[in-house]
Amino acid sequence: MKIMVILGCPEPPVLIPSFIYLLNMLKNNGHEVVVSANPAALKLIETVDPEKYYLKGVGFQNIDEGLKHKFDVDIIIGFAHNDAAVNYIITYKTVYGSKTMALVFGKSINEEFVKSLEEEDIKTFTARAFHNPVPVVVQLKKLNENL
Amino acid sequence: MACIDNYNYEILHKGSFRECAEYIKSNYKNIRNLDAGEEIIEGVMLIGKPPIPIAYKGEYIIFPYTKPCYGSFVLKIPLNEYIKSEKKKNKKNTKGALSKLKFW
């Protein structure tokens, strides 16, 4: 399947390592991956994998560009820790019309984010995590089972 | 590609997307509801939970604007700049859109 991952502001330390973990899991399962992210998040991703061990063959684009030039995607997965990320995920679902899932994470779980996403028929997972990636990894494994 | 800095915008309100949408609905009468992902002005997409309220008042257009790291704002831009960007948008659409997707 062709899977698009959406990353917003990369401020939480768990975000980029969790993305690499998810990317590795998706590629190992034979999925094609594309990432739509803000420019700082893209730079961080490139920096953690200078030899492109994980990134080889992965498509990438600026989070705003991806809304202007639509292509076929089977599933969208979004990481959300702030209001803007929630709204970008909802917007991507509206534009692409694909099945969408989200992981809401942070120092505490914002129930309003979860409600907003679920009202748009986006299956939502939650993890209380900011520095420690383990709760996110547990939820990503659950998310993977729902693909 | 144009970005919001190319326009003479004024920030009227800052908050969550829901608060920004409420601000527009409660302060303006002439409102149109648009879908998420629509290009409101050249290079600027509407981000948020649809229906997204856009207001027109006098010589201005008022809409919610979201940045990944900074959250949502209510912006006001002059209608003449909006009309100029509409013309550019229409011209651009006739050329067709190619994906800007790159690969590592």
Side-chain angles (χ1 to χ4, degrees):
Chain A
M1 282 190 288
K2 192 165 192 167
I3 298 178
M4 180 188 280
V5 182
I6 300 171
L7 303 176
C9 173
E11 190 183 12
V14 295
L15 182 63
I16 301 303
S18 303
F19 164 72
I20 296 290
Y21 187 94
L22 174 65
L23 174 63
N24 186 51
M25 193 160 58
L26 295 175
K27 283 179 82 174
N28 284 346
N29 290 336
H31 300 299
E32 197 182 326
V33 182
V34 166
V35 55
S36 295
N38 97 331
L42 288 175
K43 289 260 187 307
L44 284 165
I45 293 167
E46 284 183 342
T47 307
V48 296
D49 187 12
E51 301 290 336
K52 310 284 181 285
Y53 177 80
Y54 296 99
L55 294 178
K56 198 173 188 311
V58 174
F60 66 99
Q61 61 185 349
N62 181 299
I63 195 163
D64 287 317
E65 289 293 335
L67 292 169
K68 292 178 204 165
H69 310 288
K70 188 190 153 190
F71 48 89
D72 287 338
V73 172
D74 299 303
I75 293 177
I76 296 171
I77 300 171
F79 285 84
H81 75 282
N82 63 12
D83 186 65
V86 169
N87 287 296
Y88 267 94
I89 293 166
I90 292 171
T91 304
Y92 264 89
K93 182 180 191 293
T94 308
V95 171
Y96 282 75
S98 309
K99 178 183 172 185
T100 303
M101 294 194 272
L103 176 70
V104 173
F105 69 101
K107 284 178 181 164
S108 58
I109 304 300
N110 187 322
E111 291 302 332
E112 200 178 320
F113 295 170
V114 177
K115 188 170 165 256
S116 291
L117 290 160
E118 287 182 342
E119 278 172 1
E120 297 297 316
D121 199 23
I122 295 171
K123 188 166 175 59
T124 304
F125 299 81
T126 59
R128 251 184 65 191
F130 193 74
H131 295 101
N132 175 9
V134 176
V136 173
V137 166
V138 170
Q139 294 303 314
L140 289 177
K141 285 179 182 168
K142 280 190 191 166
L143 184 150
N144 186 47
E145 287 164 13
N146 281 271
L147 289 176
Chain B
M1 188 194 76
C3 86
I4 199 69
D5 288 334
N6 296 109
Y7 301 95
N8 289 312
Y9 64 84
E10 188 186 328
I11 298 173
L12 302 178
H13 183 77
K14 183 183 184 327
S16 67
F17 173 79
R18 197 185 289 264
E19 287 164 357
C20 289
E22 277 305 315
Y23 177 92
I24 294 173
K25 282 191 268 184
S26 55
N27 285 287
Y28 299 95
K29 285 180 185 161
N30 190 4
I31 289 175
R32 255 175 82 197
N33 285 314
L34 298 182
D35 215 348
E38 285 197 35
E39 197 173 8
I40 175 75
I41 47 175
E42 197 212 359
V44 178
M45 324 298 283
L46 285 175
I47 308 296
K49 193 169 177 161
I52 301 177
I54 306 299
Y56 299 87
K57 190 181 183 189
E59 296 296 302
Y60 294 94
I61 178 168
I62 295 102
F63 59 94
Y65 177 73
T66 300
K67 289 292 285 176
C69 294
Y70 300 99
S72 296
F73 303 85
V74 176
L75 299 187
K76 175 170 120 171
I77 69 158
L79 209 51
N80 59 353
E81 293 191 13
Y82 167 71
I83 292 163
K84 249 189 257 171
S85 88
E86 275 292 297
K87 283 179 187 161
K88 275 193 196 167
K89 256 166 60 184
N90 292 338
K91 223 182 204 178
K92 195 174 66 180
N93 288 342
T94 59
K95 289 177 187 168
L98 290 172
S99 172
K100 292 286 167 80
L101 194 62
K102 295 173 193 158
F103 288 87
W104 274 303

